[in-house]
Amino acid sequence: MLRYIPGLSACFFLALISLGLNHLWAPAGAAVIAMFLGMVFRYFRKVPESWGPGMAFTSRKLLKTAIIFLGGSINLAGLLAAGRPSLFIMIFTLTAGFLSAWVFGKYLLGIHFTQRNLIAVGTGICGGSAIAALSPVLEADEQDIAFAISATFLFDVLAVLVFPLAGRFLGLSDSGYGLWAGTSVNDTSSVVAAGYAFSEKAGDFAAVVKMARTTMLLPLGLVLNGVMFIRKRKQGRESTGQIRISRLIPWFVLIFAAVALLNTFMGFPPEMSHLLKRISAFIIAMALGAIGLNTDLRTLLKSGSRPLLLGGIVSLVVVFVSLAVQFREGLV
């Protein structure tokens, strides 16, 4: 156990610093800041070998624990609270995100399965948090995660600046704009920033829609895990015998679902849900800090243009599909 302490401590302090920096610029998100801090550290200094075991433990084991805690802050009734329109739009944006990532990523840019699906996950649900949550399901490595988060992060920065201006230009109502931002912008902090930059009512509604969108982590995680299982069987990495549900659904996704269902039907005290969400966010920041320390920034800068381009394409597709559905349904 002592061998984990150096790496765990490094990740803990990275997460702590990132939380402080996040107060200065909320749209970035503490987890994304932690990852970039880790990459910058590795760029200028060699990561000590003694940090390895703790970093590996943080980015793999602790990350799954964070996903379980995240379930305690998710109320599946949020989908109903946000109403039929937002659920309807989410189905379209998620479908459009994955289709565009598949078509452009595979056939135009030559990006492999894991990376393009991580980009679709981050764009379709909630940026870095969704990428971190579903990366174990997709068996992603540190470089795949870093590429995907970088791609969605750049869009979030632009969205906070451009969305309020675009919303006013298009003459959107507060609810229409909130629905657009909540279903199109990636990270929760960026959704809130973009929403309240338009109006207080738009910000409130965007936040509710975004929370409902986060609940899509569960069904999407199950679908992706089923896809991964089929891929492994085709590649000869799994036995061809009878499919077992216990192998089809990861244990941490099952516990995440159980905790989310408990919160939905029993209702955790608000203080408890808030605490679980904060703990989850901090552990995710630690995990992404570990991923940053494992990522070579030189390699990322040298070969990262294609994932960044795909992230931009998928983000634009999601933005325009969300807006088009709203106009079609008369929700603006």
Side-chain angles (χ1 to χ4, degrees):
M1 191 64 190
L2 290 176
R3 65 195 181 100
Y4 295 128
I5 292 176
L8 277 170
S9 301
C11 296
F12 178 86
F13 284 112
L14 273 179
L16 209 58
I17 294 167
S18 71
L19 283 177
L21 293 174
N22 188 221
H23 286 298
L24 299 176
W25 193 38
V32 175
I33 293 173
M35 188 189 76
F36 281 107
L37 284 177
M39 288 192 293
V40 169
F41 181 92
R42 174 168 175 162
Y43 186 85
F44 289 105
R45 291 193 62 183
K46 183 180 178 181
V47 176
E49 287 185 16
S50 61
W51 292 9
M55 286 162 51
F57 178 79
T58 303
S59 63
R60 294 169 193 162
K61 303 291 186 184
L62 272 188
L63 178 57
K64 293 174 182 177
T65 305
I67 297 164
I68 293 168
F69 284 146
L70 185 63
S73 67
I74 288 178
N75 190 319
L76 300 177
L79 283 172
L80 298 176
R84 174 189 164 277
S86 63
L87 178 59
F88 186 63
I89 292 171
M90 282 177 222
I91 292 170
F92 272 92
T93 54
L94 270 173
T95 303
F98 276 90
L99 278 176
S100 58
W102 174 57
V103 173
F104 291 104
K106 182 176 182 178
Y107 297 106
L108 180 66
L109 299 170
I111 295 173
H112 64 80
F113 174 87
T114 302
Q115 205 170 90
R116 64 177 183 262
N117 278 288
L118 278 179
I119 290 171
V121 162
T123 305
I125 301 183
C126 54
S129 298
I131 291 168
L134 296 182
S135 60
V137 175
L138 288 166
E139 299 179 357
D141 60 27
E142 284 82 1
Q143 185 167 291
D144 288 332
I145 295 168
F147 276 135
I149 289 176
S150 299
T152 57
F153 168 70
L154 286 178
F155 171 74
D156 277 339
V157 173
L158 291 172
V160 172
L161 301 173
V162 174
F163 259 61
L165 298 174
R168 291 189 179 95
F169 177 77
L170 293 168
L172 299 181
S173 64
D174 288 333
S175 60
Y177 176 85
L179 187 57
W180 185 39
T183 54
S184 303
V185 183
N186 305 327
D187 190 75
T188 303
S189 55
S190 299
V191 170
V192 171
Y196 284 107
F198 188 84
S199 73
E200 185 174 348
K201 186 178 178 181
D204 289 343
F205 193 65
V208 171
V209 171
K210 185 65 182 67
M211 289 301 102
R213 188 172 155 201
T214 304
T215 63
M216 300 301 284
L217 273 171
L218 176 57
L220 184 57
L222 298 178
V223 169
L224 286 176
N225 200 75
V227 171
M228 288 293 292
F229 187 86
I230 294 169
R231 279 174 60 85
K232 288 178 186 177
R233 283 166 63 92
K234 286 182 177 179
Q235 294 167 1
R237 294 163 57 197
E238 292 283 346
S239 64
T240 56
Q242 186 178 6
I243 295 176
R244 297 177 185 173
I245 296 298
S246 60
R247 296 178 67 188
L248 198 60
I249 305 174
W251 63 268
F252 64 93
V253 173
L254 283 174
I255 301 175
F256 164 82
V259 174
L261 286 170
L262 275 174
N263 188 35
T264 300
F265 293 107
M266 295 179 60
F268 295 158
E271 299 81 7
M272 182 179 175
S273 289
H274 182 66
L275 178 62
L276 289 172
K277 186 176 183 179
R278 292 191 64 148
I279 293 171
S280 174
F282 188 81
I283 296 174
I284 288 174
M286 285 180 65
L288 288 185
I291 288 165
L293 289 169
N294 271 321
T295 302
D296 189 341
L297 189 57
R298 292 178 180 86
T299 303
L300 189 70
L301 294 173
K302 189 181 296 183
S303 57
S305 58
R306 287 181 301 144
L308 291 178
L309 180 57
L310 181 61
I313 291 170
V314 175
S315 295
L316 286 174
V317 168
V318 168
V319 165
F320 286 114
V321 166
S322 173
L323 200 57
V325 174
Q326 284 190 70
F327 273 109
R328 175 68 179 81
E329 295 296 307
L331 301 171
V332 293

